[in-house]
């Protein structure tokens, strides 16, 4: 007796079809599972056995062979439990009149037959739909996640008994109702109106978000660098459905998706300075999971006190900052994750934090300052478009009862500038994403502006990359001024943000 059921495995952010073949013959009772499954897959035997018995079905005392095809694809996790159970039921003719063709089965079985949620449902359904599959049976706990996939007929069930009754026609289930996406409208705890003073830093922050540029805050402790960084999501445009879908796929695979079924707020990831390269880039023992770089996709990656991070961790940022994606290679293979994020970093100017302060004395030696600054390499600084000084705020400013400009007001201007860029590029890209060809097309300079940039390039000993990034920032500043042309004042402002290119 042979049966075949379809399930799916995850390979990065893509789903790969897996045919679950169950063969039952007379002989010494045994259970063999083949097809390059990991420990969780092989342990499905006991879960499936108990789930069938506790659901009032028989587990055949015969020779059972389960094959997960293709055999050369590594299978990981517990999402094949339901498919294996359905395959056994079909092979033993315990599913009378059930038509399982074209249906994808996903879910982990508890010993009592309940269906437990599994990670990666959303990317699997998206991939399965593209492969021509239209029906899905999944755990009820994954229903919200699947509701945002248009055109998929998804049945979210609580236990194996409901699955059997649905397939046999005794109690057909209703498909999951489609959910309408609404961008996050939650109130943030942080707001720019709570940041006193720091007009120059706020301006730089608005420029950075308007063009999707990376930014570095340098200043003494307690000046508001971290608070400014945490305000970035409050002035970023709301995510579109396509962006939310991208972010949700990553969080679903990582197993950190919340109860809403879809991510509606832009991610803000702030890994501790003890983070390893693997935790930042991605990896894992069982399967390659996305790291902090990918979890920050379409959002913000904040590195507080950047020099305290290990040098190798910081250098791992170079390629993702250029390409907007990261390829993680391990012994089991290579997976490419999206990594289009805005980098925001903060640091002190010296070990004691008071170098250059207007009201505090620095106690560090020149050698100590040089050693501290050299922890951040020149090539990495070269990739940070805006490098901003943040100094202490006076008591009168802190105690002032006057209302600062709120994040909502700044967000309106940011959205206006982003609309200009969408019109220019025809998609959701920002000025920071421009290639050299687009820089030549959209960042042409007049004679005076060109002379200013040339003089700055020579005096500051800038690199070719720094020149390109200055042009991108100047284009953003011009967009904020609703100017078609990049004027000299736009170039001067963009150049003023390159204070630390020779930091070391």
């Amino acid at each position: 007796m042979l049966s075949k059921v379809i399930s799916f495995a995850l390979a990065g952010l893509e789903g790969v079809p897996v045919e679950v073949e169950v063969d039952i013959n007379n002989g010494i009772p045994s259970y063999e599972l083949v097809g390059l499954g990991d420990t969780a897959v092989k342990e499905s035997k006991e879960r499936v056995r108990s789930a069938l018995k506790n659901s009032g079905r028989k587990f055949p005392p015969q020779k059972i062979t389960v094959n997960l095809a293709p055999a050369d694809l590594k299978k990981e996790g517990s999402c094949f439990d339901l498919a294996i159970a359905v395959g056994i039921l079909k092979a033993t003719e315990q599913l009378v009149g059930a038509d399982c063709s074209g249906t994808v089965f996903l879910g982990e079985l508890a010993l009592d037959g309940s269906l437990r949620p599994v990670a990666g449902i959303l990317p699997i359904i998206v991939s399965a739909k593209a492969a021509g599959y239209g029906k899905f049976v999944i755990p009820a706990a994954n229903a919200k996640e699947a509701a945002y996939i248009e055109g998929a007929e998804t049945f979210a069930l609580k236990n194996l008994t409901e699955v059997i009754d649905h397939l046999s026609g005794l109690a057909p289930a209703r498909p999951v109702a489609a959910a309408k996406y609404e961008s996050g409208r939650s109130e943030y705890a942080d707001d720019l109106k709570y940041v006193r003073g720091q007009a120059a830093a706020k301006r730089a922050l608005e420029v950075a978000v308007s063009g999707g540029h990376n930014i570095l805050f340098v200043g003494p402790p307690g000046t508001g660098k971290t608070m400014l960084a945490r305000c970035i999501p409050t002035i970023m445009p709301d995510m579109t459905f396509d962006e939310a879908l991208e972010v949700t796929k990553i969080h679903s695979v990582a197993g950190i998706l919340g109860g809403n079924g879809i991510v509606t707020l832009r991610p803000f990831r702030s890994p501790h300075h003890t983070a390893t390269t693997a935790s930042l880039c991605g990896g894992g023992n069982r399967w390659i999971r996305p790291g902090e770089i990918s979890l920050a996709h379409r959002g913000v990656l904040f590195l507080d006190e950047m020099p305290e991070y290990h040098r190798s961790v910081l250098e791992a940022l170079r390629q993702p900052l250029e390409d907007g994606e990261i390829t993680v290679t391990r012994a089991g293979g290579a997976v490419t994750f999206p990594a289009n994020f805005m980098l925001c970093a903060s640091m002190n100017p010296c070990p004691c934090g008071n170098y250059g302060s207007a009201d505090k004395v620095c106690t560090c030696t020149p050698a100590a300052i040089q050693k501290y600054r050299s922890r951040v390499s020149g090539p990495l600084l070269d990739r940070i478009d805006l490098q901003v000084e943040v100094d202490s705020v006076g008591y009168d400013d802190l105690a002032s009862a006057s209302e600062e400009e709120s994040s909502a007001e700044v967000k309106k201007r940011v959205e206006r500038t982003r609309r200009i860029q969408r019109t220019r590029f025809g998609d959701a890209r920002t000025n920071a994403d421009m290639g050299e060809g687009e820089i030549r097309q959209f960042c042409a300079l007049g004679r005076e502006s060109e002379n200013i940039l040339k003089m700055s390039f020579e005096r500051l000993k800038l690199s070719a990359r720094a020149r390109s990034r200055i042009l991108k920032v100047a284009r953003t500043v011009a967009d904020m001024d609703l100017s078609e042309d990049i004027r000299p004042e736009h170039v001067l402002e963009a150049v003023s943000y390159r204070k630390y290119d020779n930091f070391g």
Side-chain angles (χ1 to χ4, degrees), residues 3 5 22 24 48 52 55-60 82-96 160-161 163-164 167:
S3 68
V5 177
V22 178
I24 300 178
V48 170
L52 286 173
S55 299
R57 305 294 163 164
K58 295 179 181 179
F59 188 85
L82 180 59
I84 294 172
V86 171
I88 292 175
L89 290 171
K90 281 188 64 181
T92 54
E93 298 181 348
Q94 296 184 71
L95 273 178
V96 181
L160 186 57
T161 299
V163 174
I164 295 169
L167 294 175

Side-chain angles (χ1 to χ4, degrees), residues 96-305:
V96 181
D99 181 13
C100 300
S101 60
T103 302
V104 177
F105 295 89
L106 300 162
E108 176 185 334
L109 285 172
L111 298 184
D112 63 355
S114 301
L115 279 173
R116 288 177 172 157
V118 293
I121 286 289
L122 189 142
I124 285 177
I125 293 180
V126 170
S127 299
K129 264 197 64 189
Y133 295 94
K135 293 183 179 180
F136 304 87
V137 176
I138 64 172
N142 291 119
K144 289 185 177 180
E145 188 176 349
Y148 292 94
I149 309 302
E150 294 183 1
E153 192 175 6
T154 306
F155 302 94
L157 306 177
K158 295 179 180 179
N159 52 56
L160 186 57
T161 299
E162 288 190 3
V163 174
I164 295 169
D165 291 344
H166 167 71
L167 294 175
S168 60
L170 294 176
R174 292 183 178 181
V176 174
K180 184 179 180 181
Y181 171 74
E182 293 183 3
S183 58
R185 304 288 181 183
S186 302
E187 289 292 329
Y188 289 95
D190 300 292
D191 196 292
L192 281 176
K193 67 183 179 182
Y194 301 130
V195 181
R196 297 295 181 180
Q198 306 297 7
K202 290 180 181 179
R203 166 68 180 183
L205 195 65
E206 183 178 345
V207 172
V209 177
S210 294
H213 305 288
N214 305 314
I215 187 170
L216 169 67
F217 292 117
V218 183
T223 54
K225 302 187 295 295
T226 301
M227 192 170 185
L228 283 166
R230 294 192 177 279
C231 287
I232 293 177
T234 69
I235 64 174
M236 297 182 84
D238 295 332
M239 282 199 295
T240 64
F241 176 68
D242 289 338
E243 289 176 327
L245 205 59
E246 290 177 10
V247 175
T248 302
K249 286 171 68 176
I250 299 170
H251 286 233
S252 177
V253 170
I256 59 172
L257 189 61
N260 292 330
I262 194 167
V263 179
T264 59
L265 298 176
R266 292 193 180 271
F268 182 88
R269 306 295 299 184
S270 181
H272 192 260
H273 67 263
T274 57
T276 62
T277 304
S279 67
L280 199 72
C281 299
N285 295 325
R286 290 198 301 158
W287 64 80
I288 300 178
R289 289 176 177 252
E292 293 292 337
I293 286 176
S294 296
L295 293 172
H297 180 62
R298 299 296 181 188
V300 182
L301 179 66
F302 177 48
L303 303 183
D304 198 9
E305 301 301 336

Side-chain angles (χ1 to χ4, degrees), residues 401-464:
S402 61
E403 188 78 9
E404 298 280 346
E405 189 175 34
S406 69
S407 291
E409 293 300 316
V410 178
K411 182 179 180 179
K412 292 178 182 177
R413 296 197 298 268
V414 169
E415 290 176 333
R416 181 189 65 187
T417 306
R418 288 286 185 99
R419 283 195 295 270
I420 294 173
Q421 293 166 62
R422 282 197 299 272
T423 302
R424 174 181 299 132
F425 302 120
D427 53 30
R429 286 184 301 154
T430 61
N431 289 334
D433 300 323
M434 284 191 290
E436 285 301 318
E438 291 169 320
I439 291 175
R440 288 179 177 272
Q441 181 180 356
F442 300 117
C443 301
L445 301 180
R447 180 176 298 178
E448 185 179 356
S449 298
E450 193 70 62
N451 289 336
I452 292 173
L453 183 56
K454 180 181 178 181
M455 182 174 62
S456 303
F457 183 84
E458 293 172 348
R459 288 189 178 182
L460 297 176
K461 297 180 175 57
L462 299 175
S463 67

